[in-house]
Amino acid sequence: AQSVSQHNHHVILSEAASLELGCNYSYGGTVNLFWYVQYPGQHLQLLLKYFSGDPLVKGIKGFEAEFIKSKFSFNLRKPSVQWSDTAEYFCAVNANNQGGKLIFGQGTELSVKP
Amino acid sequence: GAVVSQHPSWVICKSGTSVKIECRSLDFQATTMFWYRQFPKQSLMLMATSNEGSKATYEQGVEKDKFLINHASLTLSTLTVTSAHPEDSSFYICSAWTQGANQPQHFGDGTRLSIL
């Protein structure tokens, strides 16, 4: 069965620190990859997505992620976080042969201290 | 971005009653709507996949007679929690998706359901 693993449950950073959130998936076929963010009290919003092409994907708000196929990974990065980045971050995977169905990771709570 | 409206956002009801949650895609036609359940501090658990005009596909362990899903049009899907009990209390989230190149899911705001 497919699964998605996010390594960090809760990350605490100071403003301006660099961020990297890990995401690994288990599925041998072609996948589409996503990072969603959920700000407190709000719905999930798409940060970025990878379908094909350049494995380094740039998203909104200065976030980027790199797809490393050999490692089954899709880590999220941001060079300098802000207090407003405090949120829950979810990695999700869609297998190419399963319509739009997503499998989510457990989520990582990011707390940025001002 | 695409807008998905979910209603109600919060509902409290007595044990044994049924609760209907609506999910509407406001600015696009969704071929598929997904229903998730999210427990506090946990991830989204897919409950079912709903395609317009056909029966929903339920994930393993989800009772289809308990969680009735109707998807009558390309812009509306409903989830009815029948004979709700306290253990059904949770945060329910819908998303809408349309078949096509590089399309992500678009999520509603969620419905907080509390059964007394």
Side-chain angles (χ1 to χ4, degrees):
Chain A
Q2 300 162 39
S3 66
V4 180
S5 177
Q6 291 181 240
H7 315 303
N8 314 100
H9 180 65
H10 190 188
V11 173
I12 303 173
L13 295 173
S14 297
E15 276 195 315
S18 64
L19 169 73
E20 180 160 3
L21 301 182
C23 173
N24 285 88
Y25 65 93
S26 64
Y27 181 69
T30 303
V31 293
N32 303 311
L33 300 157
F34 306 82
W35 275 97
Y36 283 89
V37 60
Q38 188 175 31
Y39 297 104
Q42 296 188 28
H43 63 271
L44 272 79
Q45 300 173 40
L46 181 67
L47 265 183
L48 47 79
K49 59 186 178 182
Y50 172 81
F51 283 82
S52 63
D54 189 344
L56 184 60
V57 180
K58 294 195 182 297
I60 60 171
K61 304 186 181 187
F63 287 91
E64 65 178 30
E66 185 175 12
F67 171 46
I68 304 179
K69 190 174 181 179
S70 61
K71 294 185 178 180
F72 298 89
S73 70
F74 191 55
N75 292 356
L76 181 71
R77 299 194 291 252
K78 185 171 184 177
S80 176
V81 295
Q82 300 173 317
W83 176 78
S84 57
D85 293 324
T86 295
E88 187 91 19
Y89 291 82
F90 293 96
C91 179
V93 173
N94 160 245
N96 231 5
N97 62 352
Q98 294 195 7
K101 182 178 175 179
L102 289 175
I103 305 298
F104 281 86
Q106 306 93 315
T108 297
E109 183 180 353
L110 173 64
S111 299
V112 180
K113 298 184 292 183
Chain B
V3 179
V4 175
S5 171
Q6 195 171 334
H7 178 80
S9 57
W10 187 38
V11 59
I12 302 174
C13 60
K14 293 182 180 179
S15 184
T17 58
S18 293
V19 179
K20 180 185 282 188
I21 303 169
E22 289 189 350
C23 181
R24 294 181 185 272
S25 58
L26 298 184
D27 53 358
F28 72 104
Q29 293 187 323
T31 54
T32 305
M33 288 189 176
F34 299 89
W35 287 95
Y36 297 87
R37 187 171 177 175
Q38 186 180 27
F39 293 99
K41 300 294 185 182
Q42 294 188 31
S43 186
L44 281 74
M45 182 192 77
L46 180 64
M47 298 174 66
T49 301
S50 171
N51 291 302
E52 185 263 340
S54 60
K55 289 185 179 179
T57 302
Y58 290 82
E59 295 298 302
Q60 192 173 8
V62 178
E63 299 176 58
K64 63 179 181 180
D65 295 329
K66 174 76 170 174
F67 300 99
L68 299 178
I69 292 172
N70 182 276
H71 193 163
S73 76
L74 287 171
T75 59
L76 174 64
S77 176
T78 61
L79 167 68
T80 301
V81 183
T82 62
S83 188
H85 291 284
E87 58 266 28
D88 298 323
S89 298
S90 191
F91 193 56
Y92 293 88
I93 304 172
C94 75
S95 72
W97 179 75
T98 189
Q99 187 93 29
N102 299 353
Q103 292 298 318
Q105 288 185 26
H106 300 282
F107 287 82
D109 287 339
T111 297
R112 173 107 19 229
L113 175 62
S114 297
I115 308 298
L116 304 177

